[in-house]
Amino acid sequence: MRPRTQIAVARREDDWRSWVELRLKVAGLPPDITTQELWASFSRHGSVTQIEIFEDSRGARDGSARVTFGPPPQNAFWTTIIPFFVNLRRGVRAAVRLFLENPRRTFYHPSPVNKQIKYPEVMILYADSLEFGFMYDPQTMMTMHTVNSSERAGIRFKQSMLYRETVVDFGINVNGQAESFRFSIPFAHLETIYQADAGNDDKVELVVSLPTPPRFYRKLDEKDTHEAKARYWSEKDAWYRQTDITHFPADLKTSPVALKKPRPIIDIGRWTTYRLRFKLSNETRALFHRIGQALRDYNISIEKMAGFKIAPHREPPVWQYIDQPVPVSSRPTSMLEDLLRDDSVPLLAFAVRYQLEVCISQGYLNEHNLSQAFVDKLTNMQPSKAQDLLEYVANQGKRIFVPMELFDLKIVKGSASRPPIPQYCTYIRSANVTPTTIYFNTPTVEISNRVIRYYAEHADRFLRVRFTDEKVEGKIYSTDKDTMDEIFTRVKRTLRNGITIGDRHYEFLAFGNAQFRENGAYFFAPTRHLQPDHIRNWMGNFDEIPYVALYAARLGQCFSTTRAIIGTKTTIREVEDVIRNGYVFTDGVGMISPFLAQLIFHELSVARTSAEPPSIFQFRMGGCKGILAVSPNSNRQEIMIRRSQYKFAARHEGLEIIRWSQFAAANLNRQIIIVLSTLGILDDVFVEKQKAQLANLELAMTNEKVALTMLQKDIDPNQMTLALAGMILEGFQRVQEPFMTSLLRLWRAWSIKYLKEKARITIRNGAFLLGCVDETSTLKGHFDDTPSTKDLEDRANKLPEVFVQLSKGPKNKPSVILGPMILARNPSLHPGDIRNVQGVDVPALRHLKDVVVVPQTGDRPIVNMCSGGDLDGDDYLVIWDKDLLPREWNHPPMDFTPAPKITLGRPITTDDLTSFFVTYMKNDNLSRIAYAHLAFADFLDEGLKGEKCLRLAELHSTAVDYTKSGVPARMTRDLNPAKWPHFMEKKNRPKENIYRSKKVLGKLYDQVELVHFVPVFDAPFDARILGAYKLSNSSLEDAAILKRQYDAAVRRIMAQHDIKTEFEVWSTFVMDHSKASNDYKFHEEIGRISLALKERFRALCYQKAGGKDFKVLGPFVAAMYTVTNEEVGAAVAKAKIRGIDQTNMKAASMPMISFPWLFQGVLGRIANGTFG
């Protein structure tokens, strides 16, 4: 018998049977009641979807609960079974009282297009069959597995308007056991559903083809999904994420991860086209049309597909061709290969095989379309040419249904080749392991690290791996339930069993500290003579570290992205730390001579705004880490290191630089604003500052003076606003040059986006600076016994002191900031995290610029009071804006003493490292804690000073320390908010759980309207440059070749990080990205990537131009600009012929235009005629 089709009908007030869900209030419960006991007692009467046991304001259970049914039960048992008995443990029963609750909503959802049209919250159709496969060609689906409806398991096609998702439930037999599965597709990830001709009026076929897999779930027995002490349960707790559907799950335990899965029932990661077949009655036909109308309102088109065909299932033969080794004698080999290899080699060179798997894994090619003839052609090409061809396919980012046509392509010279790279960079292969599949990425150029530099001859054997959720989902987030266990098991299997690509097997090596937080690690494909163990042993001696977390962190030091200093010799002198009351006031701070700092900065060849070197370098040297502050007391080539900077004994002792101090603008964020609001700053202060910033952003589009002021003052961490300011000074805004205009628009859109989403208000009277310690012991520190006083001047004089000198103050001269200010560190969650300090002038510290110098005197370091900070590379927010000086000064700080570290009491193994990696992923609650803290801070009357916010602040500190302590931050259920403010955009939550915030963050959110970024393509290029030189054909051809290489490199970066336009890569103002990293970390990461890209291609341009002298470089840069103009002009002309205007010219279909702007300064000189 077919399951009953559900059709939602209009609710009558007296008819509970028509409701989507029904809630019963249960009273008279014992205090130790469990959700499992309630579920067992009520599930006999219907489908229980949710249970909540209530607590009073003190957190004690009040003897009541709510049980939710969906759909409602068949009978009104709450009126006929009196009293109702709940079965407890040990055969005891409790008599309880039941009350029907009035529904809180109408169970209808308004259309986003027309609020007068309302759809049922849930609309369900039942399908006859469900097929899994992929598109073999544009109109043919190859079906790989079919599920038919049965009496025991129907196929439900459900539209949830409340959660805005399509859910498909189905059942299959796995090893003789009936199992229930589900996959869900958010409306945001659906673009088109095709309706195929079913050949019969009462039948309908829908085809959903997705570029990436949705989330899959398997249902467990609901009785086994309750936690003993939990006070909340949902039927969603019974649905566990899935990574595989296979008859042979035991095979997975020992199998390495590879693109080709062994013997799946359904390859849920790669069979992402679904065909559902329905038989419609008159009543269900009306529901079908209503579903179609609702989906169209969410911009999901329902299109009829004529000529749709089904291809029968078959196994692809290509794997057999390419996996079969051939004798060495069949092709010439080198002596080195003879020593390293056995008597056979793979059919395809590894670089070609890898790039082929890039194309297959990313969906640009499908193995079922690949024939033996294709493999033969690929094999007969020169490996470099074959690699170029496949990289070209990946760069285009489009599905190729007839692969043999690729060999007819005339690839323009330079469009896929790999030009030389700077010595501090490397080509790195990478992979994203998702719950259901693996994606390989075209090698990209990145700044290298110590390990890869040392093993440079084996650089192509390193694989950077990141574990993420499905491609459109981003990072894998932790959960306090077991529903994600299958995913974490897959991560552990990958770390233990490795990854196989062709004849190479990649094994886990280690992970960098930044990688670790983003769920990434390095793998290495061993040779006969080099194993991952050998590399780890070379990295250092870690035997004396008994803690797994700390052991992993020390290994990670070696993988920091650094620039090696090779042209400068150094001598090392050890100096003592300043330790008092158990605090290390000089934690992480060393010193360097001005002479050595100058040599280092010269070797780095970084664009500089001053003749002086930076005041601080963040560094790695052997087993030491932290910062080096310029000290006049250091000898010429001397570096002074403190014990707190020494972490382990390393063989490598060279100096490596991570970054250096520079001015960045001070920006508020939601957390800082909440703390300042708690400390007495009025809402209107923030509202007025944001209002002014929004007005200036709008004015800056047309007013050069306003634009310059903002760009020169509101400097981002990557210093890109200064680059834009330089373009304005060179007249490019005045002539409305298209690249400059596009960047200006992007900067405005990016700034407004972060105002809306983060409350990122820029504060002119402030800075974001690296911190260091006062080596002169002049600055006054914090003392616990400082007497309180009401006199404002007296209070200010008793404040801890800091020294802040900006390299460019008024009139572009150095300026020391004096007077009261606040000092903070991100993230700030506790009222005591923001400290009031006094800015003073110390002549002996005037050699330090664009840093905040803090005292080494006092009872406790003031940076420790700022969210538990230290001085080994932390940035601090310094604000001297009088509007933002709190009424409440120096609220008692939190105790940031870390929890005792966990020790194993035995030598640490690789298995311990990989287990810690997975345990961290499962318990990484940092973002959940921060979101909950923000929600409670807004909801609770007492805000940050409320008990829940204070507990969450402590948990957040524990979570931050987890990477070194190994102690997870366990977030209890009572710390999960029940209500969320509207500004947090919890779109997947029911409306009843969202409230409109009237506090400061709600006001700021409502004040901002987002602006979409639209690049400019049809504006004329700058005639001043186009007419400056008479250019030779050879220079134009050389520029065109380099441009194609540059464009390909940019497209690789865009593809890897899911960035939409080149403008975002060039400027680092990224509007959206893959979400594998948080926005702040990604801004740093894309800054490094963009800088490496620019420096790499500048070097190539210098070679082609014949040097750096303007006489030869100027004409070549003009040629770069000219070929770009010609490409864009041709594309714009074609677009206009097709009737496409500027607003509809999409960046993805237009030529790239950023190439000549590698030389912004040279373009400015040409435009302004300053050739001298």
Side-chain angles (χ1 to χ4, degrees):
M1 179 178 173
R2 176 189 301 277
R4 178 167 58 92
T5 299
Q6 294 184 356
I7 304 178
V9 296
R11 177 174 68 82
R12 297 197 307 270
E13 291 297 329
D14 60 342
D15 189 359
W16 51 265
R17 290 181 180 85
S18 68
W19 303 349
V20 171
E21 66 180 28
L22 179 147
R23 296 179 175 190
L24 291 178
K25 181 76 175 291
V26 186
L29 291 167
D32 60 346
I33 189 74
T34 67
T35 59
Q36 200 280 334
E37 290 166 338
L38 288 169
W39 177 88
S41 298
F42 283 90
S43 61
R44 292 174 292 173
H45 300 279
S47 175
V48 177
T49 59
Q50 194 177 81
I51 297 169
E52 184 175 5
I53 300 171
F54 295 118
E55 295 177 343
D56 61 24
S57 59
R58 299 184 304 275
R61 294 191 175 186
D62 64 7
S64 64
R66 177 185 293 126
V67 178
T68 305
F69 292 85
Q74 294 291 321
N75 301 304
F77 68 91
W78 58 92
T79 65
T80 58
I81 305 176
I82 301 173
F84 187 88
F85 286 96
V86 174
N87 295 320
L88 308 178
R89 295 175 292 271
R90 300 177 298 279
V92 179
R93 296 198 307 168
V96 300
R97 300 181 306 280
L98 305 181
F99 306 91
L100 177 65
E101 291 188 349
N102 289 325
R104 297 185 176 182
R105 57 186 194 274
T106 63
F107 305 124
Y108 277 80
H109 194 77
S111 162
V113 176
N114 183 350
K115 300 298 182 184
Q116 302 305 311
I117 299 174
K118 292 183 168 32
Y119 299 107
E121 281 185 1
V122 176
M123 294 183 280
I124 297 175
L125 286 172
Y126 284 91
D128 289 331
S129 64
L130 167 64
E131 296 170 19
F132 296 83
F134 54 87
M135 297 306 292
Y136 183 77
D137 64 40
Q139 291 187 295
T140 304
M141 174 185 176
M142 181 172 283
T143 297
M144 304 299 286
H145 186 84
T146 301
V147 177
N148 292 306
S149 179
S150 67
E151 292 186 7
R152 289 186 303 169
I155 300 168
R156 295 201 319 166
F157 180 66
K158 180 174 81 170
Q159 310 308 312
S160 172
M161 310 312 293
L162 187 64
Y163 294 102
R164 294 181 285 282
E165 64 179 357
T166 295
V167 179
V168 179
D169 292 342
F170 61 98
I172 58 176
N173 259 301
V174 179
N175 293 327
Q177 181 77 30
E179 300 274 13
S180 296
F181 292 90
R182 158 183 294 178
F183 61 89
S184 63
I185 312 169
F187 287 170
H189 300 163
L190 264 176
E191 292 183 5
T192 305
I193 296 177
Y194 296 99
Q195 184 175 340
D197 182 9
N200 193 316
D201 288 344
D202 66 347
K203 292 184 179 178
V204 171
E205 293 184 3
L206 295 181
V207 178
V208 180
S209 188
L210 301 177
T212 60
R215 293 183 173 189
F216 273 78
Y217 302 84
R218 177 171 62 94
K219 190 173 186 181
L220 274 61
D221 191 328
E222 289 184 354
K223 74 173 185 297
D224 299 326
T225 60
H226 298 260
E227 297 175 13
K229 295 183 180 180
R231 63 177 188 85
Y232 180 86
W233 176 88
S234 163
E235 61 97 17
K236 289 184 177 180
D237 295 347
W239 288 97
Y240 277 47
R241 288 287 300 277
Q242 292 299 287
T243 62
D244 300 90
I245 300 179
T246 175
H247 283 306
F248 308 97
D251 291 355
L252 299 174
K253 293 181 180 178
T254 56
S255 298
V257 170
L259 188 56
K260 184 176 181 292
K261 288 191 174 182
R263 303 185 291 178
I265 299 175
I266 303 172
D267 188 343
I268 58 179
R270 305 199 56 231
W271 301 347
T272 59
T273 297
Y274 315 100
R275 181 169 75 142
L276 294 116
R277 308 179 75 188
F278 304 88
K279 185 174 183 179
L280 300 181
S281 63
N282 288 334
E283 60 179 357
T284 55
R285 185 175 298 280
L287 179 60
F288 176 80
H289 288 301
R290 195 167 195 185
I291 288 173
Q293 182 184 351
L295 292 174
R296 279 188 284 271
D297 285 356
Y298 280 92
N299 201 32
I300 301 166
S301 61
I302 312 293
E303 296 181 7
K304 292 197 173 181
M305 180 186 283
F308 178 73
K309 301 185 290 294
I310 293 292
H313 164 235
R314 63 174 174 81
E315 290 298 318
V318 66
W319 299 115
Q320 181 181 345
Y321 304 150
I322 63 178
D323 285 339
Q324 186 174 354
V326 296
V328 168
S329 57
S330 67
R331 71 173 180 86
T333 62
S334 67
M335 185 179 297
L336 179 60
E337 286 179 310
D338 290 338
L339 289 172
L340 294 178
R341 298 187 180 276
D342 296 321
D343 58 356
S344 63
V345 294
L347 184 65
L348 293 174
F350 180 76
V352 179
R353 170 64 183 262
Y354 175 84
Q355 197 60 36
L356 180 62
E357 295 212 19
V358 169
C359 293
I360 294 173
S361 68
Q362 298 285 356
Y364 309 137
L365 296 173
N366 187 286
E367 60 266 45
H368 290 78
N369 296 118
L370 303 181
S371 62
Q372 185 168 2
F374 176 86
V375 176
D376 289 343
K377 277 242 181 190
L378 208 60
T379 305
N380 291 329
M381 295 176 72
Q382 292 180 12
S384 61
K385 297 288 186 184
Q387 186 180 352
D388 279 354
L389 178 67
L390 294 171
E391 284 196 12
Y392 177 81
V393 173
N395 290 342
Q396 299 309 300
K398 297 176 183 177
R399 172 73 188 274
I400 306 294
F401 289 104
V402 186
M404 289 299 291
E405 292 178 356
L406 291 175
F407 299 106
D408 299 328
L409 289 176
K410 295 193 183 302
I411 300 178
V412 182
K413 186 177 180 182
S415 61
S417 57
R418 289 159 302 286
I421 58 177
Q423 63 178 7
Y424 59 86
C425 292
T426 184
Y427 278 104
I428 193 75
R429 294 188 171 102
S430 62
N432 286 19
V433 177
T434 71
T436 59
T437 188
I438 184 169
Y439 299 95
F440 299 107
N441 302 303
T442 298
T444 53
V445 176
E446 298 180 5
I447 298 175
S448 63
N449 56 58
R450 176 187 305 178
V451 177
I452 293 179
R453 279 194 294 269
Y454 186 80
Y455 293 100
E457 70 273 27
H458 300 291
D460 68 333
R461 289 186 166 268
F462 289 90
L463 183 71
R464 187 166 47 74
V465 177
R466 179 174 274 173
F467 297 92
T468 70
D469 210 323
E470 301 302 352
K471 204 170 188 181
V472 293
E473 303 285 352
K475 186 176 179 178
I476 296 173
Y477 289 100
S478 66
T479 173
D480 55 357
K481 296 179 177 295
D482 297 330
T483 52
M484 298 276 285
D485 277 6
E486 283 288 327
I487 293 176
F488 296 124
T489 299
R490 173 170 165 84
V491 174
K492 176 63 179 179
R493 283 200 310 262
T494 307
L495 294 167
R496 182 181 60 227
N497 302 336
I499 297 171
T500 296
I501 310 171
D503 66 323
R504 287 191 184 179
H505 179 70
Y506 286 86
E507 299 175 10
F508 168 77
L509 175 61
F511 39 82
N513 296 324
Q515 257 190 318
F516 179 56
R517 289 194 182 276
E518 305 301 334
N519 303 338
Y522 276 102
F523 282 53
F524 182 77
T527 68
R528 284 184 180 178
H529 306 292
L530 185 61
Q531 303 289 324
D533 275 342
H534 299 152
I535 298 175
R536 285 189 290 267
N537 289 336
W538 170 83
M539 288 160 61
N541 181 1
F542 309 97
D543 294 341
E544 295 181 2
I545 303 175
Y547 316 110
V548 178
L550 195 59
Y551 189 105
R554 297 308 172 228
L555 277 172
Q557 278 182 223
C558 301
F559 288 95
S560 297
T561 299
T562 56
R563 298 272 297 268
I565 302 302
I566 55 178
T568 306
K569 292 183 178 180
T570 61
T571 58
I572 308 299
R573 178 157 65 95
E574 188 171 331
V575 292
E576 293 296 320
D577 273 302
V578 177
I579 302 174
R580 192 181 309 109
N581 300 333
Y583 296 106
V584 183
F585 284 70
T586 52
D587 191 8
V589 184
M591 288 168 278
I592 188 172
S593 70
F595 175 75
L596 190 53
Q598 190 71 262
L599 291 179
I600 290 170
F601 209 51
H602 178 75
E603 185 174 333
L604 291 172
S605 300
V606 177
R608 26 202 325 191
T609 58
S610 167
E612 295 181 19
S615 297
I616 292 178
F617 294 93
Q618 189 177 9
F619 81 108
R620 299 286 186 265
M621 187 168 62
C624 299
K625 67 185 284 276
I627 63 169
L628 298 173
V630 171
S631 169
N633 299 324
S634 300
N635 295 324
R636 282 175 62 83
Q637 290 176 285
E638 184 177 66
I639 290 176
M640 291 188 275
I641 297 292
R642 286 188 163 96
R643 178 67 197 177
S644 61
Q645 299 181 284
Y646 178 82
K647 306 301 180 181
F648 64 90
R651 294 185 185 180
H652 182 278
E653 294 182 349
L655 177 62
E656 301 162 328
I657 302 300
I658 298 175
R659 61 181 184 131
W660 45 89
S661 56
Q662 54 190 6
F663 176 87
N667 292 292
L668 303 180
N669 56 45
R670 285 177 172 176
Q671 292 165 328
I672 294 286
I673 289 171
I674 282 282
V675 178
L676 288 173
S677 179
T678 300
L679 298 177
I681 302 296
L682 299 178
D683 294 358
D684 287 349
V685 172
F686 303 108
V687 170
E688 288 303 314
K689 288 185 181 298
Q690 181 171 268
K691 182 180 178 181
Q693 186 168 341
L694 286 167
N696 284 333
L697 283 167
E698 186 64 33
L699 197 55
M701 296 303 99
T702 55
N703 187 308
E704 287 189 18
K705 185 176 179 181
V706 173
L708 265 178
T709 300
M710 292 191 74
L711 291 166
Q712 290 176 333
K713 297 292 185 184
D714 308 347
I715 302 172
D716 66 296
N718 292 324
Q719 310 284 292
M720 293 310 302
T721 58
L722 293 178
L724 267 68
M727 294 180 186
I728 293 174
L729 289 170
E730 286 148 0
F732 292 117
Q733 184 180 18
R734 188 167 55 257
V735 300
Q736 297 182 353
E737 203 285 332
F739 183 72
M740 166 65 203
T741 305
S742 297
L743 284 190
L744 208 57
R745 288 184 178 186
L746 173 60
W747 166 68
R748 179 183 64 152
W750 179 82
S751 299
I752 291 174
K753 170 187 167 70
Y754 280 93
L755 281 172
K756 182 78 168 177
E757 297 177 0
K758 312 281 187 185
R760 188 180 181 274
I761 303 171
T762 302
I763 304 301
R764 294 282 173 83
N765 290 329
F768 189 60
L769 307 171
L770 271 169
C772 70
V773 77
D774 168 24
E775 298 289 354
T776 70
S777 298
T778 304
L779 296 174
K780 180 175 61 186
H782 164 84
F783 292 91
D784 296 331
D785 59 355
T786 301
S788 60
T789 175
K790 292 185 178 181
D791 182 74
L792 189 63
E793 186 176 346
D794 194 34
R795 286 174 69 195
N797 290 334
K798 288 182 168 59
L799 288 174
E801 296 172 340
V802 297
F803 175 82
V804 176
Q805 180 180 207
L806 305 183
S807 57
K808 289 191 176 180
K811 299 180 181 179
N812 275 340
K813 293 183 178 180
S815 173
V816 176
I817 308 300
L818 304 175
M821 58 181 74
I822 56 173
L823 182 72
R825 174 178 170 266
N826 291 321
S828 292
L829 279 73
H830 187 273
D833 284 346
I834 294 182
R835 312 307 298 173
N836 286 76
V837 293
Q838 182 81 351
V840 298
D841 186 12
V842 179
L845 296 176
R846 287 182 186 166
H847 60 282
L848 297 171
K849 298 181 180 69
D850 296 330
V851 301
V852 53
V853 186
V854 299
Q856 61 166 276
T857 61
D859 294 329
R860 179 176 174 181
I862 58 171
V863 292
N864 178 264
M865 294 184 275
C866 297
S867 309
D870 57 29
L871 296 171
D872 70 349
D874 286 359
D875 294 289
Y876 291 89
L877 187 68
V878 188
I879 294 176
W880 51 94
D881 187 323
K882 288 182 172 55
D883 293 341
L884 295 174
L885 296 177
R887 295 180 183 179
E888 180 184 349
W889 285 15
N890 289 339
H891 183 94
M894 203 168 85
D895 182 4
F896 293 99
T897 304
K901 298 181 179 69
I902 297 174
T903 180
L904 296 179
R906 59 169 173 76
I908 292 168
T909 65
T910 304
D911 188 62
D912 294 327
L913 292 174
T914 58
S915 293
F916 174 64
F917 185 96
V918 177
T919 304
Y920 171 79
M921 285 185 66
K922 189 170 183 178
N923 292 284
D924 179 17
N925 289 318
L926 202 61
S927 59
R928 284 181 62 217
I929 293 168
Y931 284 135
H933 180 273
L934 185 61
F936 279 123
D938 187 84
F939 182 75
L940 299 175
D941 289 339
E942 58 269 48
L944 291 191
K945 296 180 180 180
E947 181 260 344
K948 286 189 175 180
C949 280
L950 294 175
R951 284 170 58 196
L952 284 163
E954 290 180 4
L955 274 178
H956 194 273
S957 177
T958 302
V960 168
D961 288 335
Y962 184 28
T963 54
K964 294 179 182 177
S965 69
V967 179
R970 308 245 183 234
M971 191 173 167
T972 54
R973 282 290 185 88
D974 65 308
L975 294 178
N976 286 321
K979 300 285 187 181
W980 299 87
H982 73 290
F983 63 78
M984 293 188 73
E985 298 184 343
K986 293 290 183 180
K987 295 177 181 177
N988 61 336
R989 302 277 177 173
K991 284 188 176 179
E992 63 199 66
N993 292 348
I994 307 297
Y995 69 92
R996 192 159 202 87
S997 169
K998 295 181 179 179
K999 289 187 178 179
V1000 60
L1001 294 182
K1003 294 176 184 178
L1004 292 172
Y1005 178 86
D1006 293 339
Q1007 190 182 29
V1008 181
E1009 291 294 331
L1010 291 174
V1011 174
H1012 295 292
F1013 167 54
V1014 180
V1016 177
F1017 291 106
D1018 64 346
F1021 276 52
D1022 195 332
R1024 298 176 298 171
I1025 301 171
L1026 296 174
Y1029 296 98
K1030 185 175 182 180
L1031 302 170
S1032 67
N1033 289 333
S1034 62
S1035 67
L1036 291 169
E1037 176 61 23
D1038 286 344
I1041 291 171
L1042 278 179
K1043 182 179 186 296
R1044 288 189 283 270
Q1045 292 176 353
Y1046 169 85
D1047 291 352
V1050 174
R1051 285 195 179 93
R1052 290 183 195 124
I1053 295 169
M1054 290 166 59
Q1056 183 176 357
H1057 299 285
D1058 199 17
I1059 298 172
K1060 297 298 184 288
T1061 71
E1062 63 168 323
F1063 304 96
E1064 294 162 81
V1065 174
W1066 193 95
S1067 68
T1068 75
F1069 300 137
V1070 177
M1071 296 293 290
D1072 202 9
H1073 56 93
S1074 63
K1075 302 301 181 188
S1077 305
N1078 67 47
D1079 290 338
Y1080 177 75
K1081 288 292 182 186
F1082 187 73
H1083 193 66
E1084 286 185 348
E1085 184 180 350
I1086 195 63
R1088 291 192 295 268
I1089 292 169
S1090 181
L1091 178 64
L1093 170 80
K1094 292 169 183 175
E1095 291 190 1
R1096 168 188 169 200
F1097 277 94
R1098 282 182 191 128
L1100 294 171
C1101 291
Y1102 292 143
Q1103 291 177 14
K1104 284 291 184 184
K1108 297 182 181 181
D1109 188 273
F1110 185 80
K1111 289 182 180 178
V1112 293
L1113 186 59
F1116 190 76
V1117 171
M1120 294 164 63
Y1121 194 79
T1122 301
V1123 297
T1124 304
N1125 171 60
E1126 290 170 354
E1127 287 183 14
V1128 174
V1132 169
K1134 285 183 181 178
K1136 288 183 175 178
I1137 290 172
R1138 296 197 303 269
I1140 301 172
D1141 62 14
Q1142 157 61 31
T1143 56
N1144 292 308
M1145 290 180 189
K1146 305 297 183 186
S1149 59
M1150 296 296 289
M1152 291 190 168
I1153 66 175
S1154 62
F1155 174 57
W1157 293 92
L1158 293 169
F1159 296 97
Q1160 168 201 327
V1162 176
L1163 287 173
R1165 289 183 65 180
I1166 298 171
N1168 291 293
T1170 53
F1171 291 6

